[in-house]
Amino acid sequence: AQRVTQPEKLLSVFKGAPVELKCNYSYSGSPELFWYVQYSRQRLQLLLRHISRESIKGFTADLNKGETSFHLKKPFAQEEDSAMYYCALTRGNEKLTFGTGTRLTIIP
Amino acid sequence: DARVTQTPRHKVTEMGQEVTMRCQPILGHNTVFWYRQTMMQGLELLAYFRNRAPLDDSGMPKDRFSAEMPDATLATLKIQPSEPRDSAVYFCASGRGTDNSPLHFGNGTRLTVT
């Protein structure tokens, strides 16, 4: 069975400091990994996906198959990054399995 | 900018009452998902439809929950009878049904059962 683990429910980081939100997965095949973000009072929205290999709002995430990880990183945190972040996995269709989420708070 | 629309935004009800949540997917999307969000469990998939047909509802308590798509523009999630442990935010999402296409989420229905 596929599973996504986000070990940190809460993460606080000072503005300007580096951010890393951890995500580990378990799946025997070749998964597709995503990061979704939910800003305060807004709907859940796609932040980035591993197949795109892109940087969105300064965030990047690299799929490490050896460590079965897909950590989200940003070198310099900004106050507007405060949000709930969900890591998600799919087997190549749209059915997403989400982690429990990490609430990121950026301290001014 | 097309969006998934969910109603109501908030619902407070007493234990034992029936609750119906509605979702209007984005026009042209042929997959619809219902997720439940809680602090402890995060986002759990309840039901998944493709072309209005239910493909997976294994995450849904069958005795009290039901999900339907009466037509392509409406998906419903019903709880009867509701219980306090059903209190959560329920999200609907729709997609184009192609590999790796992102899901578009609604604003959710915040349900409180007292």
Side-chain angles (χ1 to χ4, degrees), chain B residues 3-20:
Chain B
R3 295 195 169 192
V4 174
T5 304
Q6 287 186 250
T7 56
R9 290 294 304 276
H10 304 273
K11 176 73 176 179
V12 180
T13 191
E14 292 183 347
M15 182 174 65
Q17 296 297 307
E18 177 178 300
V19 174
T20 299

Side-chain angles (χ1 to χ4, degrees), chain A residues 9-10 31-34 36 38 41-46 49-52 84 86-101 103, chain B residues 3-5 9 30-31 33 35 37-45 48 50 56 58 91 94-107:
Chain A
K9 277 199 179 299
L10 303 170
E32 304 292 342
L33 274 297
F34 302 80
Y36 277 78
Q38 186 179 25
R41 298 189 185 87
Q42 293 188 29
R43 63 190 70 209
L44 201 67
Q45 56 188 289
L46 178 67
R49 57 188 116 173
H50 91 270
I51 58 167
S52 300
M84 192 76 177
Y86 288 96
C87 182
L89 173 156
T90 179
R91 294 178 292 179
N93 55 29
E94 290 173 302
K95 185 178 153 185
L96 289 165
T97 298
F98 285 91
T100 49
R103 182 170 296 282
Chain B
R3 295 195 169 192
V4 174
T5 304
R9 290 294 304 276
N30 62 0
T31 55
F33 298 78
Y35 284 90
Q37 182 187 42
T38 61
M39 281 291 292
M40 294 304 297
Q41 303 296 329
L43 282 160
E44 303 170 277
L45 178 67
Y48 165 32
R50 180 182 288 271
D56 185 352
S58 58
F91 285 102
S94 70
R96 283 178 288 172
T98 57
D99 286 358
N100 304 316
S101 59
L103 292 187
H104 295 260
F105 282 79
N107 276 323

